[in-house]
Amino acid sequence: MWFRNLLPYRLEGSWNLAPGALEARLAERPLLACTGLAAESRGWVSPRDNAQLVYGQERQMLFALGTETKLLPASVVKDAVKDKAAQIEARMGFKPGKKQLRELREQIEAELLPRAFARRRMTRVWIDPVAGWLVVDSSSPKRGDEVLSQLRDTLGECPFFPLDTVQSPVVAMTQWLSAGRAPGDFALDQDCVMKSGGDDPAAVRFARHGLEGDDVRRHVKDGKSVTQLGLVWKDRLRLVLAEPGVVRRVRFEMIEQDRAEHDGRGNADENFDADFRLMCAELGELLAALTQALGGPVSR
């Protein structure tokens, strides 16, 4: 249940849906299996593998977008087109042209797609209407766009927008690394990626390496910008901040240690309630601190 990646969106306007009302709306667009020639389908699924589409606690809401994708490897289609083209050449005495090959590919994809294996994935979403956050458990902006697009189709509107801060993460991270320290309750960790400008940028990556030394800061002096930076927050969370404001590889170190020591105590529902409460509190505070460290949000 713990989010490992944070793709944050800010609430611009109002959010009046309670968990029960949101559940009723999501239930109108559940995930359905891909049928016929459909290569992909999207819909809402339970974030807990039960019948409940929205889990709510103290106005915090957790739900999930499900995606089913047909797996049709390009190599399989390519081989089938090649075999079919060889048959046509043997029968007609000449090789198929580009147009005929394109039609062959479309025909073969239409024949194979209904029999292709399907893969499902789930993307969890957390809404904090009090603090004004929607957070997608993903490091991919494309995945976030899918969630917001599906919400818009389901609700008719989606008053959440990508977090825009006064200072861009790249500029801020570059300044922090150059200074050898991060602001507030943040501290530099041991991971960093820097890139130079231009059409063919050079990249330097440090992993499990102290970032306060001159060997690291020399790359900033040479004109490279920081695109990923490992941070520690309050000695409780480890994370990697990356452009364009994505938080990756979140580790709840103190909480995970405490959970390991108390593993097996309490029933599943009680543990889920406690974990969700803790996660919301920690991530809510983290996002507020991170936004402040980047100069605050830019209002639309």
Side-chain angles (χ1 to χ4, degrees):
M1 187 274 297
W2 298 87
F3 280 32
R4 299 301 179 185
N5 301 283
L6 310 176
L7 193 56
Y9 297 85
R10 291 295 295 166
L11 174 63
E12 299 288 344
S14 61
W15 176 268
N16 300 315
L17 287 176
L22 178 60
E23 168 123 21
R25 300 293 297 275
L26 299 189
E28 298 173 1
R29 290 178 177 262
L31 175 64
L32 302 175
C34 287
T35 57
L37 300 181
E40 184 178 88
S41 66
R42 296 193 192 111
W44 304 107
V45 298
S46 170
R48 298 186 61 189
D49 294 327
N50 58 20
Q52 187 179 27
L53 290 179
V54 179
Y55 170 82
Q57 184 185 130
E58 299 176 357
R59 299 194 66 187
Q60 307 289 321
M61 286 170 273
L62 179 70
F63 55 101
L65 177 65
T67 304
E68 181 171 291
T69 306
K70 288 289 186 68
L71 300 178
L72 189 56
S75 59
V76 172
V77 176
K78 181 179 179 181
D79 290 343
V81 171
K82 184 178 179 181
D83 292 343
K84 193 72 172 179
Q87 295 174 18
I88 293 175
E89 183 179 0
R91 185 174 69 252
M92 304 296 294
F94 57 85
K95 294 182 178 181
K98 289 184 179 180
K99 180 180 178 182
Q100 192 172 6
L101 286 174
R102 183 170 62 253
E103 292 173 348
L104 275 177
R105 174 177 291 276
E106 293 173 353
Q107 175 188 342
I108 288 170
E109 287 178 346
E111 293 173 353
L112 295 178
L113 201 56
R115 305 197 304 270
F117 288 106
R119 178 182 63 188
R120 287 196 173 192
R121 58 176 166 81
M122 179 177 71
T123 304
R124 292 171 300 176
V125 187
W126 162 48
I127 287 183
D128 178 355
V130 178
W133 290 109
L134 180 147
V135 180
V136 179
D137 184 9
S138 174
S139 61
S140 167
K142 179 182 177 181
R143 194 72 51 83
D145 290 343
E146 292 175 357
V147 169
L148 266 64
S149 176
Q150 192 70 20
L151 263 182
R152 195 172 294 111
D153 291 343
T154 303
L155 305 178
E157 62 175 353
C158 183
F160 293 95
F161 298 89
L163 174 63
D164 189 13
T165 53
V166 172
Q167 194 172 33
S168 77
V170 169
V171 171
M173 291 187 295
T174 303
Q175 291 178 354
W176 300 345
L177 188 64
S178 178
R181 54 185 173 82
D185 293 318
F186 290 95
L188 299 181
D189 201 5
Q190 296 184 321
D191 296 275
C192 175
V193 175
M194 287 178 277
K195 292 183 180 180
S196 61
D199 296 331
D200 188 20
V204 178
R205 180 185 301 271
F206 290 92
R208 296 182 296 279
H209 187 287
L211 301 180
E212 296 83 4
D214 292 337
D215 60 326
V216 176
R217 284 184 283 184
R218 183 179 67 251
H219 293 284
V220 176
K221 293 179 180 179
D222 290 341
K224 293 185 178 66
S225 297
V226 180
T227 58
Q228 296 184 36
L229 183 64
L231 297 169
V232 180
W233 180 67
K234 286 189 172 182
D235 293 325
R236 301 207 308 260
L237 295 182
R238 290 184 182 274
L239 58 106
V240 174
L241 178 61
E243 60 173 339
V246 178
V247 179
R248 299 176 175 173
R249 293 168 19 208
V250 180
R251 291 173 54 190
F252 301 79
E253 295 210 326
M254 300 297 294
I255 295 174
E256 289 177 355
Q257 180 180 345
D258 182 68
R259 290 178 74 248
E261 293 174 355
H262 296 84
D263 189 31
R265 300 183 186 179
N267 62 48
D269 289 337
E270 290 174 346
N271 290 336
F272 191 92
D273 292 344
D275 286 348
F276 185 69
R277 189 181 303 111
L278 275 172
M279 186 190 79
C280 291
E282 290 288 302
L283 294 186
E285 193 177 346
L286 168 68
L287 289 172
L290 188 57
T291 303
Q292 182 179 6
L294 294 172
V298 176
S299 299
R300 292 178 179 270

